[in-house]
Structures are given as structure tokens and as C-alpha cells.
Amino acid sequence: MPQHAEFEFVATCTRGAEPLLAAEIAAITGLGGVEERRGAVVFRGGLGHAYRCCLWSRLASRVLVVLAHFRCGAAEDLYRGIRRIDWLDHLGPDDTLAVDFVGVSDTIRSSRFGALKTKDAVCDAIRDRKGRRPGVDVANPRVRINVRLHDGVASVSIDLSGEALHRRGFDRQTNAAPLKETLAAAMLHLADWPTLCAEGVPLVDPMCGSGTIVLEAAGMALDRAPGLQRRFWGFTGWRGHHEPGWQGLLTEARDRARAKADDPLFVFGWDRDRGVLGAAKENARKAQVSVRLKCRNLADAEAPPCREALPRGLVVTNPPFGERLGELSEAGDTYALLGDVLRHRFLGWRAFVLAGSRELAGRVGLKPTRRIPIHNGPIECRVLQLDVSPDPVSGAGPGWR
């Protein structure tokens, strides 16, 4: 496959993060014409652009290289369309494959059936030319094929990512309801942290749990590529892969990380649970960043030293949602306490709070400057931007509200 060929790529993301991902990919690649789609963005460029996205994107879930689009109404349309692709450009009979299939039609009534039909077409095409079929390995294939069937059109791609990109290359210890790194990164982009961290603005997560938000913040501030520690990629077993180009990007990323390694880092994470804070410390060690972690109750939170300009600092946090019966009231009390602490002790700061429901958002007691819809898995949430007044307030909540 020609090294300098142009391809169509799709980068997937959580719903609501599409504008952020489009801007991030344009910044990473220097490409124009990045198009937003539902839960994804589309762009055209060379393999180097896609490799940069795999290595540097904090918002993308996967990066796919598109092989074909074709009309597909029936199962036989799918089989014929898949067979028309020259699969020997992508894998051989000694390789293994897996198929991810999304979508249904009148005759393709389940994703499992669509995946089996795709697998048969690929294996038959290679057997007809080489006399042998590739194997199937659902867990760790050499090549992962992605098919999306929507409005009668099938789109066939190779998954360049391997496992999902929110996995940053080390086994992260988590608490009961961990926040995905991609969603944490989206909150940080909404907070304009990539710009503010360069100005010395401090960042606090007063309920940091296993540390997802503070670790993402540290990685951004220290210019560490989020994929730098990953050891396996979907493109390494693909016949279209260009190893010298990839190695050049890795060298550049390592150089950038070394150049910022000794920069001061004003990132603070607090949590009342010593056990989960221990997990955060272990995660920070594995991520090779030195964030300031401390066991502290939310009620005792105080702003660390900050600048005079507004915003004086950032609070970015994911309070518990209280999804199970009996937990909602406790979660509401936590949101109310967070509002009290912000209004009394974080004067002039800007907060970005992930709220899992309208009721919880209302319990904070501060009027949001923005409410940004975003999905946390299947849950439609809001990121609340709260610009805390720099003027002191007297009296405990809820009297000040």
C-alpha cells in the first residue's frame, strides 16, 4: 500500500464530545475539513495523520481507516460488497481477524449475524486466492475489521487502535464507578485547561477517586502523549502499516515528554477514602507524573495558592451520581456541600462539575454559566461551568444561595 496514499479516517468518541474531538484532531494533524458526525468525526489524510491521532488524541475512543462504502439492503449485498475488497492488501491466511459489526436491516437482524457474514466473506476471499483461510481471534486479532450498517449503506474499516484508546497503556486501579479517561479529557478541554495550565493556573479535583481527572490534567500539562506507554496497536498486524513512520512519531513524542518533564505541576487531587487515594497514587506512579494527592474531606477543602487574575484556578470534578435507591439523597447532599465549599473558599475560581441529572445540578446552588450535554456511557449528563464570584459571602448555606 503506498506510503503517501490518502485515506478516509473515522475517529469515534462519546456523544457530546464531537466538537472537541474535531478541534483536537485539527490541532494534532494540521488538517482542515474535519467533519463532525454523531459520535464521531471524519477526516482525510495520510497514515501519519491517523498515527498522530492514535498517539496523541485524548478524546477519541477509536481510529478507523475506511476501506469501502456500498449499498447494503440484504445479507447477500453485505457478502458481495465485502468480497469485492482486496483483502490481501490487509491480511493474509496466516493472520487472525475479528469483526465488530453495528447496525441491522430487514435481513440482517442482529450484529452477530452481520459479523459472521462479514467474516465468511473475508475468509472465503482469501481462501480462493491462497488456498487457506485466516483464523479468528476475538480477543487479540492481528486485524480487527469494523462494519457499520446505517440507512442502507455499509461502511467497512480497519480498526487502527486495537483496544479502546481510553486505555492509556498501564493497568489502572479504579474505584467502583470509574470515569473514562476520554470523558475526563473532554471536561478538561471544556475548562480550557490546555491553555490555562501554561499560565500557571492551579487545578483541583476535591473528589478525585482513583485519579482519572488529575492524571489527564497532568499529562496535558507535561505534553505527554496519552498513547506513549501503550505496547499494542491495531495497525501493527495490518499489512498497510508503515513502521518507520510510526517509530518517527514515537521518537518525537518521547522528546516532547523529556522537554517538559521538570516543569512545575500545579495539579491537586483530594479524596476522603484512603484506600481509593492509594489507588490514585499507584496510578500516578505508573503514569510517571507527580500530582499532589492528599486524604481530605470535601468539607475541609480549601483553595491552594493561586494567581490574582480570573479565573484564579480551576476545579474539575465528577461527584457521585447516586444511581441506586437510597444513594440519590446522599449524592444530592454532596452536590450541595460542593456548592457551599466553592462559594466560601474558592473565590474567583471556575468549576466544571459533571452532573448526572437535573436534580443534582440544582443542588449545587450556583447558577451555571454553561450547561454542556455529554454522555457518560449510557447516561446523558451535563457539564456545569460555575464561575464563582470573587466577592466574599457570609453565612453558611443555604442562606447565601
Side-chain angles (χ1 to χ4, degrees):
M1 191 168 293
Q3 177 188 345
H4 301 294
E6 184 178 82
F7 301 89
E8 177 185 347
F9 300 104
V10 176
T12 64
C13 64
T14 189
R15 292 273 307 283
E18 297 93 343
L20 301 173
L21 178 57
E24 182 192 50
I25 287 180
I28 289 171
T29 64
L31 294 172
V34 180
E35 301 176 25
E36 296 177 30
R37 303 282 174 85
R38 182 184 172 94
V41 301
V42 177
F43 60 101
R44 299 193 66 87
L47 277 183
H49 297 117
Y51 288 165
R52 281 191 180 276
C53 289
C54 287
L55 183 59
W56 283 99
S57 176
R58 292 187 175 275
L59 299 169
S61 299
R62 294 187 179 276
V63 177
L64 314 172
V65 55
V66 179
L67 307 183
H69 303 284
F70 55 84
R71 297 295 306 177
C72 180
E76 288 310 307
D77 296 332
L78 175 65
Y79 183 86
R80 286 193 295 268
I82 296 292
R83 287 276 317 236
R84 282 197 293 268
I85 297 170
D86 190 348
W87 287 104
L88 288 177
D89 284 346
H90 308 289
L91 73 160
D94 296 322
D95 292 323
T96 57
L97 64 91
V99 178
D100 294 332
F101 193 100
V102 178
V104 293
S105 70
D106 289 341
T107 61
I108 302 171
R109 298 179 180 177
S110 74
S111 294
R112 183 174 182 274
F113 176 76
L116 287 172
K117 203 71 174 176
T118 300
K119 182 265 297 180
D120 288 344
V122 174
C123 291
D124 290 351
I126 293 175
R127 182 196 57 198
D128 287 353
R129 294 181 61 183
K130 292 296 183 180
R132 292 179 293 121
R133 294 162 59 99
V136 175
D137 185 342
V138 176
N140 297 296
R142 290 276 291 170
V143 174
R144 185 173 292 276
I145 299 166
N146 182 286
V147 182
R148 181 175 185 265
L149 178 58
H150 181 68
D151 286 345
V153 175
S155 299
V156 185
S157 307
I158 298 293
D159 186 343
L160 301 180
S161 315
E163 63 180 0
L165 292 177
H166 76 271
R167 300 183 182 276
R168 301 306 198 206
F170 61 90
D171 292 328
R172 184 166 70 97
Q173 298 184 25
T174 64
N175 54 343
L179 188 71
K180 275 191 177 180
E181 289 82 350
T182 44
L183 181 51
M187 294 179 67
L188 291 164
H189 274 278
L190 289 170
D192 199 25
W193 171 246
T195 299
L196 294 175
C197 67
E199 300 173 7
V201 174
L203 181 143
V204 170
D205 182 354
M207 292 172 280
C208 72
S210 57
T212 306
I213 290 174
V214 293
L215 294 186
E216 287 297 303
M220 290 179 181
L222 297 176
D223 200 23
R224 290 184 60 87
L228 192 56
Q229 290 182 253
R230 285 173 58 121
R231 293 293 175 262
F232 175 78
W233 297 89
F235 52 71
T236 54
W238 175 49
R239 287 187 168 184
H241 173 50
H242 185 251
E243 182 65 15
W246 171 244
Q247 289 299 323
L249 292 176
L250 285 178
T251 298
E252 175 195 325
R254 294 185 185 112
D255 290 344
R256 287 172 59 171
R258 279 193 291 267
K260 300 276 285 184
D262 296 326
D263 282 12
L265 190 58
F266 304 107
V267 177
F268 303 81
W270 306 325
D271 202 279
R272 67 181 184 181
D273 186 325
R274 290 188 180 276
V276 78
L277 195 68
K281 291 178 179 178
E282 178 63 13
N283 291 335
R285 184 192 67 79
K286 291 178 179 178
Q288 302 174 18
V289 295
S290 297
V291 294
R292 307 182 194 195
L293 299 169
K294 185 176 182 179
C295 188
R296 173 178 283 180
N297 289 322
L298 175 61
D300 300 324
E302 292 183 341
C306 54
R307 63 178 194 168
E308 288 303 314
L310 298 179
R312 292 174 181 167
L314 290 176
V315 171
V316 183
T317 193
N318 170 38
F321 291 174
E323 292 180 270
R324 290 189 290 272
L325 186 65
E327 294 179 345
L328 186 58
S329 176
E330 182 180 349
D333 293 343
T334 300
Y335 278 74
L337 177 59
L338 174 62
D340 289 341
V341 169
L342 291 173
R343 188 62 187 91
H344 284 85
R345 301 184 195 151
F346 287 80
L347 302 179
W349 282 53
R350 180 173 293 157
F352 288 80
V353 179
L354 188 64
S357 70
R358 185 187 302 271
E359 292 77 14
L360 290 174
R363 291 295 303 275
V364 178
L366 295 169
K367 184 176 181 180
T369 308
R370 289 192 294 165
R371 297 179 180 87
I372 306 105
I374 199 163
H375 274 69
N376 182 9
I379 305 171
E380 184 176 356
C381 302
R382 295 291 186 274
V383 176
L384 310 177
Q385 177 182 329
L386 307 169
D387 292 322
V388 184
S389 170
D391 300 324
V393 66
S394 60
W400 61 265
R401 296 171 185 262

